Amino acid sequence: MTFYLIGIDGGGTSCRAAVAAPDGRILARAKSGPANILSDPETALSNIADAARAAFREAGLDPDTIAKARAVLGVAGHNVGDAVEYVKRWLPFAAADIESDGLIALQGALGDQDGSVAILGTGTIYVSRHREEVQYAGGWGFTIGDLGSGARIGHSLLQESLLVHDGIHDPSPVVSTVLSEFNNDAREIVEFARQAKPGEFGRYAPRVFEFAERGDAVAARLLKDASLTVDEALDLLVARGTKKICLLGGLAPFYRSWIAPRHQSLLAEPEGDALTGAVALAVARFGRRPEAMA
Amino acid sequence: MTFYLIGIDGGGTSCRAAVAAPDGRILARAKSGPANILSDPETALSNIADAARAAFREAGLDPDTIAKARAVLGVAGHNVGDAVEYVKRWLPFAAADIESDGLIALQGALGDQDGSVAILGTGTIYVSRHREEVQYAGGWGFTIGDLGSGARIGHSLLQESLLVHDGIHDPSPVVSTVLSEFNNDAREIVEFARQAKPGEFGRYAPRVFEFAERGDAVAARLLKDASLTVDEALDLLVARGTKKICLLGGLAPFYRSWIAPRHQSLLAEPEGDALTGAVALAVARFGRRPEAMA
């Protein structure tokens, strides 16, 4: 019996799927809407199925045969318990494993090598693998985690703008852009921040990097604080034996020059993306060992 | 015509009222439930009236005569616009001014002298007065303000506990108390923090001070960071000409020894409390100048 493999990279803004032959050769890719299994499992299930069917169609395959396929899904919020079990039960595949978005990113970036990835985006999470053992650090979300993330950098910029507004800190160009955006009204900034989701704070992060490049002292201080938290996490990865680190996520290119000199020689370009990683895990679990199928 | 003056100190946990003769002599005090005009104006209005009536009763006066009284109210969140106008319209007094809790605290602490108060509690706000001019700094709430507050100190402790949990930071006794309270389960800490109100974070603050006293290095580092934000705000007060600063609020006694040496000689004990300050403002506005009444 021939069956296909599916890799899914499910995120808060979109869900990507790839269909592959049992040997892992990717036949087609496709994309659908958000797949956050924690905040909205029904929509996630529907978009996961849509992306998979679209990939099958794109490959010239009958979309209904996704029901015979084996899949590995990488999803944000996978470590939050009940939602995973619920989604797993209702997935339209013959067999499926749900993993963290961090693990499929690691597999995509490093292939089967040992090493680590630092995913620096709206949030931050660190994943390392040594001799089959996978370990995580960070990734606890905006409220008391995700240090160094875009959301935290944006948050620190807005906080700084209030200190400048009150006269407690000296002004700087990057802070002035924020103050004029909010009509120099501290109450508007506070109101925005009270409602803002992590992604909305995170939209300020690239601006902080850009102004720091141009010599803005406040932007540079905020990024020095942020990179310190990243370097502390990288120290942990190194202590665990990592000899290769890939920076991933939207802020990776921005962060590259801010990483401490002691880590620069460990930084490497990723081999592939998270979707490639999901497919590779599907091959390892379902492609080469058909006897392990459910 | 004889009328009485009322001072109100309305806070998020209780509302206190004092009734005074037109010369400011306090006849009685009383207390009722929460009066947060921003989050729940109806309950605030009801508790303000209840506290005032109870004070009148306590003084042997007919509680219905609050309708002829003139009041000054100090309330948290007074600077947030519409709620103040709404509450002012429905207050059961002949005339009333609504001021910030910071201003009545300043009046209570300093009387008619120039100087400043630093209110260090669940939140932080700084109020200074020089030659009739009153200026504020801080007090913008937990999300992107209230640096150095109990809520922010508690938040930093919980954040630290995740870093220790992940192995990024070294453990310390104060962090261990948090981890065991949450069964060493990072997810429990995250879940608590996602739901926690500022007051719930703030309940951890005294513990941080206590452990720092006993030599806990992590607690000391968190408090060094927190006191830096307080000292920066005090620098602003000094730059504005303050020669006397009263530390107020639940954390004032804890903070005293953490304030930088350059500010220690400016610290002074408050003359009276916020309720006394509200009555004093009522005397100034309504007691001595009956022609200014509404």
Side-chain angles (χ1 to χ4, degrees):
Chain A
M1 175 185 133
T2 302
F3 61 86
Y4 293 97
L5 298 171
I6 294 174
I8 299 275
D9 178 14
T13 47
S14 68
C15 178
R16 299 187 306 141
V19 54
D23 64 358
R25 192 169 34 97
I26 291 180
L27 306 173
R29 293 168 177 247
K31 197 172 161 180
S32 65
N36 188 323
I37 70 166
L38 187 63
S39 66
D40 189 352
E42 298 302 337
T43 303
L45 276 167
S46 153
N47 282 326
I48 288 166
D50 283 355
R53 277 198 206 94
F56 269 59
R57 235 178 269 119
E58 184 68 26
L61 300 168
D62 176 1
D64 287 345
T65 54
I66 64 167
K68 296 180 186 164
R70 274 77 175 154
V72 166
L73 292 78
V75 293
H78 90 292
N79 56 352
V80 196
D82 298 344
V84 168
E85 288 311 309
Y86 177 82
V87 167
K88 205 167 169 176
R89 195 176 315 134
W90 294 102
L91 284 170
F93 310 126
D97 272 356
I98 298 186
E99 297 293 349
S100 75
D101 47 359
L103 185 69
I104 65 167
L106 176 107
Q107 184 68 41
L110 299 172
D112 291 328
Q113 295 173 66
D114 281 356
S116 302
V117 293
I119 309 179
L120 310 170
T122 300
T124 46
I125 185 166
Y126 306 87
V127 193
S128 58
R129 185 176 55 198
H130 291 285
R131 297 178 192 144
E132 308 282 303
E133 195 196 358
V134 175
Q135 289 184 293
Y136 295 82
W140 296 113
F142 176 69
T143 313
I144 52 169
D146 285 355
L147 304 189
S149 66
R152 294 296 290 254
I153 291 171
H155 178 268
S156 69
L157 176 62
L158 294 184
Q159 177 169 294
E160 189 64 31
S161 73
L162 290 185
L163 292 167
V164 171
H165 171 275
D166 284 353
I168 294 173
H169 279 182
D170 290 331
S172 93
V174 71
V175 173
S176 299
T177 67
V178 175
L179 288 171
S180 33
E181 192 176 325
F182 289 96
N183 308 308
N184 283 294
D185 186 341
R187 287 170 301 187
E188 285 191 26
I189 304 175
V190 170
E191 203 46 41
F192 170 82
R194 284 178 56 180
Q195 313 284 341
K197 297 206 165 68
E200 292 170 271
F201 285 115
R203 279 202 279 280
Y204 287 92
R207 187 190 302 185
V208 179
F209 281 97
E210 283 154 21
F211 275 79
E213 294 295 319
R214 293 191 239 154
D216 187 293
V218 170
R221 175 165 52 76
L222 300 182
L223 291 181
K224 211 179 134 193
D225 292 348
S227 347
L228 181 67
T229 69
V230 174
D231 279 316
E232 285 183 344
L234 300 188
D235 285 337
L236 172 70
L237 305 179
V238 170
R240 284 175 180 170
T242 279
K243 298 199 166 43
K244 182 176 179 178
I245 300 170
C246 296
L247 305 184
L248 307 176
L251 292 183
F254 292 97
Y255 254 121
R256 179 82 199 219
S257 65
W258 288 87
I259 299 299
R262 67 183 180 278
H263 296 133
Q264 286 287 341
S265 65
L266 304 175
L267 301 182
E269 290 305 311
E271 289 181 10
D273 67 0
L275 193 53
T276 316
V279 169
L281 290 174
V283 171
R285 294 183 189 178
F286 302 120
R288 290 178 191 149
R289 297 190 307 247
E291 72 279 6
M293 280 179 241
Chain B
M1 178 184 131
T2 301
F3 61 87
Y4 293 97
L5 297 171
I6 294 174
I8 300 275
D9 178 14
T13 47
S14 68
C15 178
R16 298 188 305 143
V19 55
D23 64 359
R25 192 170 34 96
I26 292 180
L27 306 174
R29 293 169 178 245
K31 197 172 161 180
S32 64
N36 187 323
I37 70 165
L38 188 61
S39 66
D40 189 351
E42 298 302 337
T43 304
L45 275 166
S46 152
N47 282 326
I48 288 167
D50 283 355
R53 277 198 207 93
F56 269 59
R57 234 178 270 119
E58 185 67 26
L61 299 169
D62 176 0
D64 287 343
T65 55
I66 64 166
K68 296 181 186 165
R70 274 80 175 152
V72 166
L73 293 76
V75 294
H78 89 292
N79 57 352
V80 196
D82 299 343
V84 168
E85 287 311 310
Y86 176 83
V87 167
K88 204 167 170 176
R89 194 175 318 135
W90 294 102
L91 283 170
F93 310 126
D97 272 356
I98 299 187
E99 298 292 348
S100 74
D101 48 358
L103 184 69
I104 65 167
L106 175 107
Q107 185 68 42
L110 299 173
D112 292 328
Q113 295 173 67
D114 281 354
S116 303
V117 294
I119 310 179
L120 310 169
T122 300
T124 45
I125 186 167
Y126 305 87
V127 194
S128 57
R129 185 174 56 198
H130 291 286
R131 298 176 192 146
E132 306 284 302
E133 195 195 358
V134 174
Q135 290 184 289
Y136 295 83
W140 296 113
F142 176 69
T143 313
I144 52 169
D146 285 355
L147 303 188
S149 67
R152 294 295 290 255
I153 292 171
H155 177 268
S156 68
L157 176 63
L158 295 185
Q159 177 169 295
E160 189 64 31
S161 73
L162 290 185
L163 291 168
V164 171
H165 171 275
D166 284 353
I168 295 173
H169 280 182
D170 289 331
S172 92
V174 71
V175 173
S176 299
T177 67
V178 174
L179 288 171
S180 34
E181 191 176 326
F182 289 96
N183 307 306
N184 282 293
D185 186 341
R187 287 170 301 187
E188 284 191 26
I189 304 175
V190 171
E191 202 46 41
F192 171 82
R194 283 178 55 180
Q195 313 283 341
K197 296 206 165 68
E200 291 169 272
F201 285 115
R203 279 202 279 279
Y204 288 91
R207 188 191 299 186
V208 179
F209 281 97
E210 284 154 19
F211 275 79
E213 294 294 319
R214 292 190 241 152
D216 187 294
V218 170
R221 174 166 51 77
L222 300 181
L223 291 181
K224 212 179 133 193
D225 292 348
S227 343
L228 181 67
T229 70
V230 175
D231 280 315
E232 285 184 343
L234 299 189
D235 285 336
L236 172 70
L237 304 179
V238 170
R240 285 177 180 166
T242 279
K243 299 200 165 40
K244 182 176 179 179
I245 300 170
C246 296
L247 304 185
L248 307 177
L251 292 182
F254 292 98
Y255 254 120
R256 179 83 199 217
S257 64
W258 287 87
I259 299 300
R262 67 182 179 279
H263 297 134
Q264 286 288 341
S265 66
L266 305 175
L267 300 183
E269 289 306 312
E271 289 182 9
D273 66 2
L275 193 53
T276 316
V279 169
L281 289 174
V283 172
R285 292 182 190 179
F286 300 119
R288 290 178 193 150
R289 296 191 304 249
E291 74 280 9
M293 280 179 238

